Amino acid sequence: MYEKFYRSLYRIRRVEEEIARIYTTDKIKSPVHLSIGQEAVSVGVCEALGRDDIVFGTYRGHALYLAKGGDLRKMIAELYGKATGCAKGKGGSMHLIDTDVGVMGMSAVVGTTIPLAAGYAYALKLRGKNSVVASFFGDGAVDEGVFHESMNFAALKKIPIIFVCENNFYSIHSHQRARQALCNIAERARVYGMPAERIDGNDVLRIYERVMKGVQEIRSGSLGPRFFECMTYRWMEHVGPNEDFEAGYRLRSEAEPWFEKDQVKRLGDFLDPEARQMIEDEVEGEIREAFEFAEQSPFPDDVDLYTDTFKEA
Amino acid sequence: MERILTYAEAIREATEQEMARDPTVILLGIGVDDFKAIYGTTKGLIEKFGPERVFDTPLSEDAMTGVAIGAALAGLRPIHVHIRMDFVLLAMNQLVNIAAKGRYMYGGAVSVPIVVRAIIGRSWGQGAQHSQSLHSYFIHVPGLKVVAPSTPYDAKGCLIKSIRDDNPVMFIEHRMIHYQKGHVPESTYTIPFGKARVLAKGDDITLVGISYMAVECLRAQKLLTEVGISAEVIDPVSLNPFDLDAIAGSVRKTGRLLVVDTAWVTCGVSAEVVAQLTERFQDSQQIRVQRMGFKPVTCPTTKNLEDLFYPNSQKIASAAYTLVHNNRKFWTPTHVEPPEIMEFRGPF
Ligand SMILES: Cc1ncc(C[n+]2csc(CCOP(=O)(O)OP(=O)(O)O)c2C)c(N)n1
Ligand SMILES: [Mg+2]
């Protein structure tokens, strides 16, 4: 199990480090919102899900896409704006999708995918499927009315959904305290009528364990939403490839305890050095290959501008 | 010596001067107190006017629009800033059902003096949901004034006018003109709504450019002089009310009209202008008309498709040339990417 977790965590971290490195060359011509430091949430949750389960995410979606099994080559090609990308180069980093593995898309408008996940879960229930949906969003999305309306609907209809709030304390540069009178989001979710808990410490194993329990309960017939507020921390700037502790809205000292909680390092240390080295070598090879694939892929043809506005008969 | 400011600085100055003049003016919106200060347009205002008159809001566009309207009913003059016009979609109900209609449906008993600053994004692959220009949605609805100035001078005067206006005003800013520099007097002044501005005089064709497209039309006008075509460039400045007379006067002279919008063409400003002018001229003069805007698809992220998607000075000049030559001659100048697009890497 540790090996599997480590592979996923390490892979996401290294992919995003490579994105940050390559970004300065302007080969990626669109905004990127990195999840470095927050990988544990996507990995912990997705390890508790199966291939037939569904996730909906946000513009900060690289980690979720990869943790759920999204195709790495297609993701990098998408960032490069290439025709071989997961959205044919038309969506970019903020709109990753891989329906083969249940990654149902990401949106750049905060909060918009929460009700989509609820609708999907409603349909799964109606159609007698045994899958669950996981809806990922940030603490900022909790400010939006649509979050609250979706909570109510999910509890009312007892749909098979896991809400995952990635609480990294910030919406861009606004601290949660500047936006919400009560900062315990799980507590507020509970009053809508669903089990809800806050998971501290960015702890990938704990997230996995708690979500796994929720998923199993749902699968064994105890339907209805479960809510997890996962405390985590964004190491990089809101958007872009750099750190931003000099910007003034937060201090490096606030981040340091979270650096200590680095789950990539933690899980890595659990492994014996040889096994670890093997995983790292394989992942590095895969990443190199994915970037080469993206580099060598063609840009979309001019006529592709007009395709996919509608599904053709 | 002329006093030169950027468009963004002009907006900041207008806000600061009006807030200093009138204690009922407040400024709210996601990120107005941020160190990036909405591309500099709100810089220093919280320090100067305090956190009660200048405040960051929760991510609650719908409710905050209602809050702004409620505050306006109570005598304040809120300026509500949206860093992307795409997010104003969450506020449509309050804007369309309350702000626009409040005065009429209550028989004149109240008024709603709010300003909604909506910024249009573009460039660096911002894609489907961060690049929309939806001003025509607002123009469609009676009761909302809509302005989209293209020069720093007009930005300042229009914003001051918008703040002082007793009605809801949508103030549309394109991200790519925030960098434009121009003469801006230090004193306060207002720009009247419903009065277009002629940016360049010409005889062969009338180019009407909406918002950022006024800048691109001016560039096209220069390109056209190389092939002996003299284009008149008009910036409507205010989209509702709209100065049709100014455009009609120009088209009477040139006989040709190309309207370029930074938005989709169908049901947009360009469609409206052409329809109204055609109605006006149908018994008196044969005119040639054309519309230009986004391609009728969602904005793609990848650069090569994005370049096809957007109108630019090259495409404008080429279309104007064809119009002037009655579809019998064609010419396309080489495209030079303008600096604001070439250099843009955020902030987003
Ligand atoms: C409806 C809407 N309002 C505002 C924005 C601008 N915006 C983009 S990301 C963001 C921060 C959201 O914070 P959070 O939900 O905590 O996610 P995080 O970025 O921390 O992962 C904001 C305000 C937006 N994209 N959509
Ligand atoms: Mg956050």
Side-chain angles (χ1 to χ4, degrees), chain A residues 262-279:
Chain A
D262 181 7
Q263 300 295 294
V264 179
K265 180 171 184 321
R266 175 180 173 216
L267 271 281
D269 289 345
F270 285 166
L271 304 186
D272 74 63
E274 245 168 69
R276 178 174 176 168
Q277 192 60 50
M278 214 169 78
I279 290 171

Side-chain angles (χ1 to χ4, degrees), chain B residues 23-41:
Chain B
T24 67
V25 178
I26 62 168
L27 178 71
L28 66 151
I30 296 170
V32 296
D33 65 342
D34 189 282
F35 65 91
K36 291 188 182 169
I38 317 281
Y39 317 129
T41 61

Side-chain angles (χ1 to χ4, degrees), chain B residues 11-87:
Chain B
I11 287 177
R12 202 204 76 85
E13 183 167 275
T15 312
E16 179 173 14
Q17 289 177 342
E18 282 306 283
M19 290 191 77
R21 187 189 66 85
D22 179 353
T24 67
V25 178
I26 62 168
L27 178 71
L28 66 151
I30 296 170
V32 296
D33 65 342
D34 189 282
F35 65 91
K36 291 188 182 169
I38 317 281
Y39 317 129
T41 61
T42 62
K43 204 168 197 58
L45 297 178
I46 188 165
E47 288 79 3
K48 182 143 189 201
F49 300 107
E52 283 179 346
R53 290 181 67 198
V54 178
F55 59 92
D56 188 25
T57 70
L59 283 68
S60 310
E61 290 82 355
D62 181 12
M64 288 307 122
T65 305
V67 164
I69 296 169
L73 291 173
L76 296 185
R77 291 182 176 271
I79 307 170
H80 189 187
V81 187
H82 297 272
I83 204 160
R84 286 273 182 291
M85 188 187 260
D86 312 67
F87 310 152

Side-chain angles (χ1 to χ4, degrees), chain B residues 8-325:
Chain B
E9 287 163 348
I11 287 177
R12 202 204 76 85
E13 183 167 275
T15 312
E16 179 173 14
Q17 289 177 342
E18 282 306 283
M19 290 191 77
R21 187 189 66 85
D22 179 353
T24 67
V25 178
I26 62 168
L27 178 71
L28 66 151
I30 296 170
V32 296
D33 65 342
D34 189 282
F35 65 91
K36 291 188 182 169
I38 317 281
Y39 317 129
T41 61
T42 62
K43 204 168 197 58
L45 297 178
I46 188 165
E47 288 79 3
K48 182 143 189 201
F49 300 107
E52 283 179 346
R53 290 181 67 198
V54 178
F55 59 92
D56 188 25
T57 70
L59 283 68
S60 310
E61 290 82 355
D62 181 12
M64 288 307 122
T65 305
V67 164
I69 296 169
L73 291 173
L76 296 185
R77 291 182 176 271
I79 307 170
H80 189 187
V81 187
H82 297 272
I83 204 160
R84 286 273 182 291
M85 188 187 260
D86 312 67
F87 310 152
V88 182
L89 289 172
L90 279 80
M92 265 336 220
N93 174 47
Q94 289 291 343
L95 288 174
V96 174
N97 281 327
I98 303 291
K101 297 176 174 54
R103 181 152 185 91
Y104 190 92
M105 72 185 180
Y106 297 130
V110 297
S111 59
V112 183
I114 61 166
V115 180
V116 178
R117 280 182 51 203
I119 300 172
I120 305 164
R122 154 163 193 188
S123 276
W124 205 245
Q126 293 177 65
Q129 301 168 329
H130 273 36
S131 59
Q132 297 174 90
S133 298
L134 303 170
H135 38 280
S136 68
Y137 287 23
F138 306 103
I139 297 164
H140 184 68
V141 179
L144 297 175
K145 296 187 180 179
V146 183
V147 296
S150 76
T151 65
Y153 180 85
D154 283 341
K156 177 170 175 183
C158 261
L159 185 54
I160 293 176
K161 177 85 178 82
S162 303
I163 294 167
R164 295 182 187 177
D165 199 292
D166 284 331
N167 299 285
V169 181
M170 303 294 303
F171 188 94
I172 316 283
E173 306 158 34
H174 198 293
R175 185 77 177 88
M176 290 298 121
I177 33 183
H178 272 159
Y179 305 103
Q180 296 290 324
K181 288 186 180 151
H183 170 58
V184 178
E186 190 164 5
S187 60
T188 56
Y189 57 94
T190 59
I191 297 289
F193 291 167
K195 187 108 188 53
R197 189 175 289 289
V198 177
L199 298 177
K201 285 258 174 217
D203 300 315
D204 300 328
I205 184 167
T206 305
L207 303 178
V208 174
I210 312 298
S211 183
Y212 176 47
M213 285 304 117
V215 174
E216 287 290 76
C217 282
L218 273 178
R219 287 174 175 145
Q221 179 257 348
K222 290 201 186 69
L223 293 169
L224 286 163
T225 57
E226 293 165 19
V227 285
I229 291 174
S230 140
E232 184 139 303
V233 178
I234 299 182
D235 172 5
V237 185
S238 142
L239 304 178
N240 187 21
F242 193 85
D243 187 0
L244 194 70
D245 288 346
I247 293 165
S250 173
V251 175
R252 193 164 294 123
K253 172 177 66 175
T254 63
R256 302 179 186 92
L257 171 68
L258 174 60
V259 188
V260 190
D261 200 355
T262 164
W264 290 291
V265 169
T266 307
C267 292
V269 178
S270 63
E272 185 59 32
V273 173
V274 166
Q276 289 194 25
L277 268 186
T278 311
E279 283 171 351
R280 186 176 287 203
F281 281 116
Q282 56 194 343
D283 294 326
S284 60
Q285 192 183 343
Q286 269 273 321
I287 57 169
R288 292 178 60 79
V289 296
Q290 194 176 329
R291 297 172 290 154
M292 186 185 280
F294 293 172
K295 291 294 188 299
V297 298
T298 295
C299 179
T301 21
T302 194
K303 181 80 169 91
N304 70 318
L305 297 188
E306 200 187 40
D307 288 344
L308 296 172
F309 175 81
Y310 284 112
N312 60 34
S313 58
Q314 174 206 40
K315 296 177 194 178
I316 296 166
S318 177
Y321 184 91
T322 310
L323 260 184
V324 170
H325 290 283

Side-chain angles (χ1 to χ4, degrees), chain A residues 33-35 38 58-60 94 107-112 137-144 165-174 179-180 234 238-239, chain B residues 30-31 57-61 82-84 86-88 90 129-130:
Chain A
H33 302 75
L34 301 180
S35 294
Q38 304 187 197
T58 75
Y59 52 86
R60 194 181 305 288
M94 300 197 285
S107 171
V109 182
V110 171
T112 39
F137 48 88
D139 50 292
V142 173
D143 298 2
E144 294 282 2
C165 177
E166 291 191 67
N167 188 346
N168 61 9
F169 302 96
Y170 289 93
S171 163
I172 310 189
H173 313 122
S174 287
R179 296 174 287 111
Q180 299 174 13
R234 160 166 65 72
H238 166 71
V239 54
Chain B
I30 296 170
T57 70
L59 283 68
S60 310
E61 290 82 355
H82 297 272
I83 204 160
R84 286 273 182 291
D86 312 67
F87 310 152
V88 182
L90 279 80
Q129 301 168 329
H130 273 36

